[in-house]
Structures are given as C-alpha cells and as structure tokens.
Amino acid sequence: MATPPQGNPYATAPQAGGPHPYAQPGGHPQAPAVPPQQPSGNPFAQPGTFGPPQAHPGQPYGHPGTPYTPAPPHAHYQAHPAHPQPLTPACRFCGGSPAVPVTFRAHRGLLVVMTFRKLDGPMCGTCGVAVYRALTTETLWQGWWSPVSLFVFTPFTLIHNLVVSRKVKKLQPPAPGQHGRQVDPGVPVHRRPLAYVGLVPVLWLLFMIVSGLTQNP
C-alpha cells in the first residue's frame, strides 16, 4: 500500500508576527481588515429609498430635534372680515349728520297753468326746516289761483309738507365744525307775509258762497 506523502521535512515553521509564508516576493503589504462602517444619514431610513427622511416615533414630521406642537383649537377657521357698516346719510346741502331722506313739494296753480316742484334727499334738521318753510310759503301764495289747485293740489301739498317736516324737526342739530354752510331757515311760516296771500282766494270763495245764499229769497 502506498503511504501518503508527508509535509516538506525541510520547511521551517512560520514565526509568530513574521511575514505571511505565502506572500509574493516584492508585493505590497496587505492592509489590515477594517470593519464596515454604518453609512451616515438617517439611521432609520430604509435602504434603497429616496426623498426626505421618514418620520419615526417621537418626531412626527421627520425633523430631528423639533418637538411636536399641537395646533390651537379653531386654527383651521379663518376669521372673516366684518361686514361694512352702512354709511350714515349726510345732508345734501351742508354735509352734516344726522340726516334723514325726505321730500318737500311746492305747487303753483294759475288759471290755465299748473306747475309742481320738489326737493328731496337727505337733510339735516336745520336745512330740512329751511326747505320746508320756503316751499310751504311758496305754495301758500301761488297755489290757489285755479279751481283744481284750490280744492285738490294745494291742500294735498300743504298736508304732505307738514307731515314730512316732523321727521327733520326731531333730528339733533349737526355738531359744530362737522358741516358746511347751512341753509338759513329764516322765520317760521306764520310770520311770513306771503303766507297770508293764500287767504285772498279763500276769502273770495267764502264771499261768493255767502252772497249766493243771501240773494236767494
């Protein structure tokens, strides 16, 4: 039977710390093995993924070191701007306030011609009273000179102005320095001589009625 070959009897045992017995002559020394290092970056990121780092427990938005702050209640509801308040009307003559929208009328009744006039818009107490007195006086001395005006239009105009004048008479006068030049109200209607011109056709009508009654037996 053949005996297996033995090791080289002339080989010397390698010394501890010496060169590698199988190292190639003239070759470069082998670098010591370095243990693999963990790649830098997010330690919790999954391999092969791209994009921003994923959130992990304790950091809900994926920003390390940033604590989570809950949103205050009703944060999702934005405050709507308040509705604009309606503008206070200003007097059409002086620009003062308070003022109220009114309409004053005047009527002129002649034998064959009748005219109607009006002034409307917001008026303060002072200017409103001035317009009321002017148009009412104009109607009192120019509105009686036709049968239709005498019985219909003039009485209606006077009553209308009297009712509307109560609105402006209840207003407080505008504050000083907050208005322009106001219309002069003048004296009241009953102190104006032209207001009594309207008594002429009324007295004439009464005279005709009384004369007709007295002439009949």
Side-chain angles (χ1 to χ4, degrees):
M1 175 180 293
T3 303
Q6 303 292 328
N8 187 2
Y10 300 99
T12 61
Q15 299 179 3
H20 197 276
Y22 299 101
Q24 299 295 331
H28 297 282
Q30 299 292 331
V34 180
Q37 297 182 357
Q38 187 73 14
S40 60
N42 189 2
F44 298 96
Q46 300 295 331
T49 59
F50 300 92
Q54 302 295 327
H56 54 83
Q59 298 178 356
Y61 296 104
H63 298 284
T66 303
Y68 171 71
T69 304
H74 308 291
H76 300 287
Y77 298 94
Q78 298 180 356
H80 295 281
H83 295 286
Q85 298 295 332
L87 298 177
T88 303
C91 179
R92 58 169 292 183
F93 297 103
C94 68
S97 182
V100 61
V102 291
T103 301
F104 291 105
R105 302 180 182 275
H107 172 68
R108 176 187 300 176
L110 303 178
L111 294 177
V112 294
V113 178
M114 291 186 298
T115 60
F116 301 86
R117 190 162 68 93
K118 69 176 182 179
L119 283 177
D120 56 358
M123 303 181 192
C124 66
T126 303
C127 297
V129 170
V131 174
Y132 159 70
R133 291 177 178 177
L135 296 189
T136 300
T137 303
E138 179 181 333
T139 303
L140 282 173
W141 74 276
Q142 294 182 353
W144 306 100
W145 309 107
S146 72
V148 179
S149 298
L150 178 63
F151 294 102
V152 179
F153 294 115
T154 298
F156 169 79
T157 302
L158 296 176
I159 294 175
H160 170 80
N161 289 348
L162 181 63
V163 174
V164 175
S165 66
R166 297 179 180 178
K167 297 182 180 180
V168 295
K169 289 181 179 180
K170 293 188 297 184
L171 296 176
Q172 296 293 332
Q178 297 183 359
H179 58 83
R181 184 177 180 180
Q182 294 179 313
V183 183
D184 183 14
V187 297
V189 175
H190 67 274
R191 295 176 56 185
R192 302 187 180 196
L194 289 178
Y196 297 97
V197 176
L199 295 178
V200 175
V202 174
L203 294 177
W204 176 80
L205 178 63
L206 293 177
F207 173 77
M208 296 299 294
I209 294 176
V210 173
S211 299
L213 294 175
T214 56
Q215 290 179 1
N216 294 329

